[in-house]
Amino acid sequence: MRELSYAAAIREAHQQLLSEDDRVFVIGQGLWSPWYVGNTMTDLEKEFGRNRIIDCPVSENATTGAAVGAALSGMRPIVVHPRMDFMTLAVDPIVNQAANWSYLFAGQIGVPLVVRPIINRGGEQGAQHSQALQAFFMHVPGVKVVMPATPEDAKGLLVAAVYDGNPVLYIDDRWLYGITGPVPRHMYMTPLGVAAVRRRGNDITVVASSYMVQVALHAADRLKEQGIEAEVIDLRTIKPWDKDTVCNSVIKTGRLLVADGTWATGGVAAEIVAAVVSRVFRHLKAAPVRVCLPDTPAPTSRTLEQAYYPNANTIATAASWLVRSDPSIHDHRPTAELPGRIVFD
């Protein structure tokens, strides 16, 4: 099978969707410029015209509201927000409108809308240009949230999101744009709500999504050198998320570490830990651990960024301690001080 980059896989998904279905169109800021969306949309406006690749003014709320109306009218819009931070200006049409229409009309009408916010973390961009806000939308009934971690899923999940029939947030992360992997040529769907086991292991379950999956896989390589076999689960979809796959893995390993690329308090990792503990508590050999961002806005300094974002060593350190901890001791914190972004529940 040929290989594509993550960004090229997203572009191919757009290209095939636009070719196959006249109802699909893309609207957002900077769609004709690689400065905004990388090479995920390169030359699509030349192939399909600017009436289907609509580069709109800077008005996140109006753009998203127009797409909600188009979806209600039978179209299949994809709304692109080049920075997830500023999608907060579009919370009203997403949360108050798109998420509720089907419920309010007893399922007689749907909102087949895809909102594609892009996370642009790092690069000394600071607090207003580096935020990952997926936990906000995970909380909202009626909205699905997907976060692909591989090129194959970047394509398959976008196609599945367009044809799901419900509002779906498809969140991609620029830190993944350069990774490569096998991607089928034909148009296909990766099912929503089904996790993938990226690596098998018996000692600890590591659950992650988006770029943190790649970080977790590097951490698993380091753990293997210590004789620890980590099972790495890629959630792929965080709303709904695959509780059965995660819980079955924890039943096998007895230990859980959740790595998430956003803040710990009220976050995705907290939800996963809570659900696992309530379902399979008696199988746990130690208290679960979360590896997340510290509860502070993103710094601008490159040096501070290196301390702020978890890396493979952060995960490997927490996982190694968790595997070697004594389950008979009630205080599961290590004696040596670890970074504050490792949260011991």
Side-chain angles (χ1 to χ4, degrees), residues 22-25 52 67 69-77 111-113 162:
D22 291 338
R23 298 173 298 172
V24 176
F25 70 93
R52 294 187 70 195
L72 286 166
S73 301
M75 301 296 284
R76 299 273 173 166
V111 187
L113 168 72
V162 167

Side-chain angles (χ1 to χ4, degrees), residues 102-323:
S102 181
Y103 177 80
L104 291 174
F105 288 93
Q108 297 177 67
I109 190 169
V111 187
L113 168 72
V114 174
V115 181
R116 183 190 156 206
I118 302 173
I119 298 173
N120 287 265
R121 59 179 100 232
E124 300 179 311
Q125 296 179 87
Q128 291 183 318
H129 293 76
S130 305
Q131 297 172 100
L133 305 175
Q134 56 266 30
F136 284 24
F137 299 95
M138 185 186 190
H139 182 65
V140 180
V143 176
K144 298 183 179 182
V145 184
V146 302
M147 299 189 72
T150 67
E152 183 175 4
D153 284 347
K155 179 179 176 180
L157 284 172
L158 181 57
V159 176
V162 167
Y163 289 113
D164 182 77
N166 297 286
V168 179
L169 260 68
Y170 172 97
I171 304 173
D172 55 287
D173 192 309
R174 279 201 184 224
W175 275 0
L176 289 168
Y177 279 12
I179 70 165
T180 59
V183 179
R185 295 181 184 275
H186 64 278
M187 193 165 74
Y188 60 91
M189 299 187 194
T190 301
L192 305 188
V194 180
V197 179
R198 299 297 180 193
R199 182 176 181 137
R200 299 285 178 181
N202 294 312
D203 296 319
I204 185 171
T205 299
V206 179
V207 178
S209 60
S210 190
Y211 93 97
M212 289 299 285
V213 173
Q214 303 298 331
V215 178
L217 289 170
H218 289 306
D221 289 336
R222 299 188 183 189
L223 289 167
K224 185 176 177 61
E225 295 173 358
Q226 303 175 36
I228 298 172
E229 293 292 343
E231 182 148 292
V232 179
I233 297 178
D234 174 2
L235 289 175
R236 303 202 285 196
T237 306
I238 65 169
K239 176 74 175 287
W241 62 278
D242 189 347
K243 295 181 178 67
D244 289 342
T245 295
V246 173
C247 288
N248 286 336
S249 176
V250 173
I251 289 171
K252 178 177 68 173
T253 66
R255 301 176 181 89
L256 172 65
L257 184 153
V258 185
D260 184 50
T262 187
W263 302 293
T265 300
V268 176
E271 172 62 26
I272 292 166
V273 168
V276 170
V277 169
S278 68
R279 284 182 166 218
V280 296
F281 176 78
R282 65 188 180 88
H283 294 279
L284 289 169
K285 300 174 182 177
V289 169
R290 291 175 284 161
V291 175
C292 305
L293 303 183
D295 283 336
T296 182
T300 303
S301 157
R302 187 177 299 276
T303 301
L304 290 177
E305 282 183 338
Q306 291 172 353
Y308 181 77
Y309 291 108
N311 54 37
N313 187 58
T314 315
I315 295 175
T317 299
S320 177
W321 175 84
L322 187 57
V323 170

